[in-house]
Amino acid sequence: MINKVVKDADEAVKDIHDNAVLMLGGFGLCGIPENSISALLKTGVKGLTCISNNAGVDDFGIGLMLKTRQVKKMISSYVGENAEFERQLLAGELEVDLIPQGTLAERIRAGGAGIPAFFTPAGYGTEVAEGKEVREFHGKKYLMEEWLQADFSLVKAWKGDSAGNLIFKGTARNFNPMMAAAGKITIAEVEELVPLGELNPNEIHTPGIYVQRIFEGKNYEKRIEQLTVTQK
């Protein structure tokens, strides 16, 4: 079995090049590859196309790379928590492709499954449909959407082993597993890295065949995007 462990985030991302297409897993601020993003900030790589459900916030997640102008284009679903994203969009400094959340998830899943296109009713009759093929099935209109794939997928898991097998926890299972399958090179950072054989095979969410590099991360902040409390 191949040992896919690398020393740290710096080593894991060192060959990510200018103008690369990246997928970054997670949902909101949960399950995002914090260490890998920090390492990319240090490399200064630029011209990135980032595929992610959201764009982080101004001082965390992808928002940090937006501030340093390393991101050329965002392909996302929900971006409402990032003021710098909004500023760059309105100023014409950032290319943006907004996609319905379910369509985004399915395009990524299709990329990992090797399915180049599929049809969905989401977005028909709106700006989302502009320039896309439309077909009718059983009396209803559907748009053709193409798969999404990436040069590098950056994912974050709860546990992983030296062969790259991954277990995600809770909300971190949103987007991370499907992105792991849709990247030409998948880099996984984990909270706990264990020896091969310690993970229960029945609990593995992403098999190691999809992962090329893995490392144990550190200093995870695990922020809450919107804290809501009840007054007593």
PDB file of all heavy atoms in Angstrom, residues 32 37 55 84 98 101 140 149 171-172 175 192 214 219:
ATOM      1  N   ILE A  32     -13.498  23.278   6.181  1.00  0.00           N
ATOM      2  CA  ILE A  32     -12.696  23.878   5.118  1.00  0.00           C
ATOM      3  C   ILE A  32     -11.210  23.570   5.332  1.00  0.00           C
ATOM      4  O   ILE A  32     -10.772  23.383   6.472  1.00  0.00           O
ATOM      5  CB  ILE A  32     -12.919  25.403   5.013  1.00  0.00           C
ATOM      6  CG1 ILE A  32     -12.405  26.132   6.254  1.00  0.00           C
ATOM      7  CG2 ILE A  32     -14.385  25.713   4.782  1.00  0.00           C
ATOM      8  CD1 ILE A  32     -12.462  27.650   6.125  1.00  0.00           C
ATOM      9  N   ILE A  37      -5.099  26.456   2.825  1.00  0.00           N
ATOM     10  CA  ILE A  37      -5.307  27.847   2.422  1.00  0.00           C
ATOM     11  C   ILE A  37      -4.184  28.723   2.974  1.00  0.00           C
ATOM     12  O   ILE A  37      -3.638  29.577   2.263  1.00  0.00           O
ATOM     13  CB  ILE A  37      -6.685  28.343   2.884  1.00  0.00           C
ATOM     14  CG1 ILE A  37      -7.795  27.640   2.083  1.00  0.00           C
ATOM     15  CG2 ILE A  37      -6.805  29.864   2.727  1.00  0.00           C
ATOM     16  CD1 ILE A  37      -9.196  27.911   2.595  1.00  0.00           C
ATOM     17  N   ALA A  55     -17.487  31.563  -0.349  1.00  0.00           N
ATOM     18  CA  ALA A  55     -16.208  32.266  -0.494  1.00  0.00           C
ATOM     19  C   ALA A  55     -15.602  32.637   0.848  1.00  0.00           C
ATOM     20  O   ALA A  55     -14.807  33.575   0.933  1.00  0.00           O
ATOM     21  CB  ALA A  55     -16.403  33.514  -1.359  1.00  0.00           C
ATOM     22  N   GLU A  84     -15.574  41.686   0.960  1.00  0.00           N
ATOM     23  CA  GLU A  84     -14.520  41.896  -0.049  1.00  0.00           C
ATOM     24  C   GLU A  84     -14.889  41.223  -1.364  1.00  0.00           C
ATOM     25  O   GLU A  84     -14.622  41.768  -2.437  1.00  0.00           O
ATOM     26  CB  GLU A  84     -13.187  41.366   0.477  1.00  0.00           C
ATOM     27  CG  GLU A  84     -12.029  41.484  -0.503  1.00  0.00           C
ATOM     28  CD  GLU A  84     -11.698  42.912  -0.913  1.00  0.00           C
ATOM     29  OE1 GLU A  84     -12.136  43.867  -0.230  1.00  0.00           O
ATOM     30  OE2 GLU A  84     -10.978  43.075  -1.925  1.00  0.00           O
ATOM     31  N   LEU A  98     -22.078  32.186 -10.491  1.00  0.00           N
ATOM     32  CA  LEU A  98     -22.974  31.753  -9.419  1.00  0.00           C
ATOM     33  C   LEU A  98     -23.866  30.630  -9.929  1.00  0.00           C
ATOM     34  O   LEU A  98     -24.495  30.753 -10.979  1.00  0.00           O
ATOM     35  CB  LEU A  98     -23.820  32.926  -8.926  1.00  0.00           C
ATOM     36  CG  LEU A  98     -23.068  34.016  -8.152  1.00  0.00           C
ATOM     37  CD1 LEU A  98     -24.024  35.148  -7.788  1.00  0.00           C
ATOM     38  CD2 LEU A  98     -22.410  33.448  -6.901  1.00  0.00           C
ATOM     39  N   GLN A 101     -27.210  25.793  -5.708  1.00  0.00           N
ATOM     40  CA  GLN A 101     -26.412  24.914  -4.856  1.00  0.00           C
ATOM     41  C   GLN A 101     -26.507  23.448  -5.242  1.00  0.00           C
ATOM     42  O   GLN A 101     -25.496  22.730  -5.295  1.00  0.00           O
ATOM     43  CB  GLN A 101     -26.818  25.102  -3.392  1.00  0.00           C
ATOM     44  CG  GLN A 101     -25.880  24.430  -2.418  1.00  0.00           C
ATOM     45  CD  GLN A 101     -26.158  24.851  -0.982  1.00  0.00           C
ATOM     46  OE1 GLN A 101     -27.052  24.322  -0.352  1.00  0.00           O
ATOM     47  NE2 GLN A 101     -25.398  25.808  -0.494  1.00  0.00           N
ATOM     48  N   LYS A 140     -41.653  18.680 -19.194  1.00  0.00           N
ATOM     49  CA  LYS A 140     -40.963  19.668 -18.366  1.00  0.00           C
ATOM     50  C   LYS A 140     -39.612  20.017 -18.976  1.00  0.00           C
ATOM     51  O   LYS A 140     -38.927  19.159 -19.536  1.00  0.00           O
ATOM     52  CB  LYS A 140     -40.744  19.107 -16.945  1.00  0.00           C
ATOM     53  CG  LYS A 140     -40.249  20.120 -15.933  1.00  0.00           C
ATOM     54  CD  LYS A 140     -40.265  19.533 -14.533  1.00  0.00           C
ATOM     55  CE  LYS A 140     -39.827  20.547 -13.494  1.00  0.00           C
ATOM     56  NZ  LYS A 140     -39.898  20.005 -12.110  1.00  0.00           N
ATOM     57  N   GLN A 149     -14.464  19.711 -12.890  1.00  0.00           N
ATOM     58  CA  GLN A 149     -13.282  19.002 -12.416  1.00  0.00           C
ATOM     59  C   GLN A 149     -12.218  20.039 -12.078  1.00  0.00           C
ATOM     60  O   GLN A 149     -12.351  21.208 -12.433  1.00  0.00           O
ATOM     61  CB  GLN A 149     -12.775  18.017 -13.477  1.00  0.00           C
ATOM     62  CG  GLN A 149     -13.763  16.888 -13.768  1.00  0.00           C
ATOM     63  CD  GLN A 149     -13.256  15.916 -14.809  1.00  0.00           C
ATOM     64  OE1 GLN A 149     -12.638  16.291 -15.790  1.00  0.00           O
ATOM     65  NE2 GLN A 149     -13.526  14.629 -14.597  1.00  0.00           N
ATOM     66  N   THR A 171     -21.244  18.181   9.241  1.00  0.00           N
ATOM     67  CA  THR A 171     -21.443  19.051   8.090  1.00  0.00           C
ATOM     68  C   THR A 171     -20.256  19.045   7.134  1.00  0.00           C
ATOM     69  O   THR A 171     -20.389  19.402   5.966  1.00  0.00           O
ATOM     70  CB  THR A 171     -21.726  20.491   8.574  1.00  0.00           C
ATOM     71  OG1 THR A 171     -22.824  20.463   9.491  1.00  0.00           O
ATOM     72  CG2 THR A 171     -22.097  21.406   7.418  1.00  0.00           C
ATOM     73  N   ALA A 172     -19.088  18.634   7.598  1.00  0.00           N
ATOM     74  CA  ALA A 172     -17.918  18.573   6.722  1.00  0.00           C
ATOM     75  C   ALA A 172     -18.101  17.575   5.584  1.00  0.00           C
ATOM     76  O   ALA A 172     -17.324  17.582   4.625  1.00  0.00           O
ATOM     77  CB  ALA A 172     -16.671  18.214   7.528  1.00  0.00           C
ATOM     78  N   PHE A 175     -19.798  18.551   0.311  1.00  0.00           N
ATOM     79  CA  PHE A 175     -18.835  18.933  -0.729  1.00  0.00           C
ATOM     80  C   PHE A 175     -17.469  18.254  -0.605  1.00  0.00           C
ATOM     81  O   PHE A 175     -16.857  17.954  -1.625  1.00  0.00           O
ATOM     82  CB  PHE A 175     -18.671  20.458  -0.811  1.00  0.00           C
ATOM     83  CG  PHE A 175     -19.865  21.148  -1.395  1.00  0.00           C
ATOM     84  CD1 PHE A 175     -20.854  21.692  -0.575  1.00  0.00           C
ATOM     85  CD2 PHE A 175     -20.024  21.236  -2.763  1.00  0.00           C
ATOM     86  CE1 PHE A 175     -21.969  22.298  -1.108  1.00  0.00           C
ATOM     87  CE2 PHE A 175     -21.139  21.848  -3.317  1.00  0.00           C
ATOM     88  CZ  PHE A 175     -22.112  22.382  -2.499  1.00  0.00           C
ATOM     89  N   GLU A 192      -6.861  14.093  12.570  1.00  0.00           N
ATOM     90  CA  GLU A 192      -6.117  12.979  13.183  1.00  0.00           C
ATOM     91  C   GLU A 192      -5.667  12.015  12.094  1.00  0.00           C
ATOM     92  O   GLU A 192      -6.501  11.490  11.338  1.00  0.00           O
ATOM     93  CB  GLU A 192      -6.991  12.249  14.203  1.00  0.00           C
ATOM     94  CG  GLU A 192      -6.256  11.144  14.932  1.00  0.00           C
ATOM     95  CD  GLU A 192      -7.123  10.436  15.962  1.00  0.00           C
ATOM     96  OE1 GLU A 192      -8.256  10.910  16.216  1.00  0.00           O
ATOM     97  OE2 GLU A 192      -6.676   9.404  16.488  1.00  0.00           O
ATOM     98  N   ILE A 214      -1.719  13.398   1.876  1.00  0.00           N
ATOM     99  CA  ILE A 214      -2.455  13.581   3.131  1.00  0.00           C
ATOM    100  C   ILE A 214      -1.486  14.039   4.213  1.00  0.00           C
ATOM    101  O   ILE A 214      -0.315  13.641   4.230  1.00  0.00           O
ATOM    102  CB  ILE A 214      -3.170  12.267   3.538  1.00  0.00           C
ATOM    103  CG1 ILE A 214      -4.075  12.488   4.749  1.00  0.00           C
ATOM    104  CG2 ILE A 214      -2.183  11.144   3.778  1.00  0.00           C
ATOM    105  CD1 ILE A 214      -4.999  11.304   5.038  1.00  0.00           C
ATOM    106  N   ASN A 219      -3.933  23.561  14.644  1.00  0.00           N
ATOM    107  CA  ASN A 219      -4.476  24.882  14.999  1.00  0.00           C
ATOM    108  C   ASN A 219      -5.777  25.222  14.278  1.00  0.00           C
ATOM    109  O   ASN A 219      -5.981  26.338  13.813  1.00  0.00           O
ATOM    110  CB  ASN A 219      -3.439  25.981  14.706  1.00  0.00           C
ATOM    111  CG  ASN A 219      -2.143  25.768  15.461  1.00  0.00           C
ATOM    112  OD1 ASN A 219      -2.147  25.306  16.595  1.00  0.00           O
ATOM    113  ND2 ASN A 219      -1.024  26.094  14.825  1.00  0.00           N
TER     114      ASN A 219
END
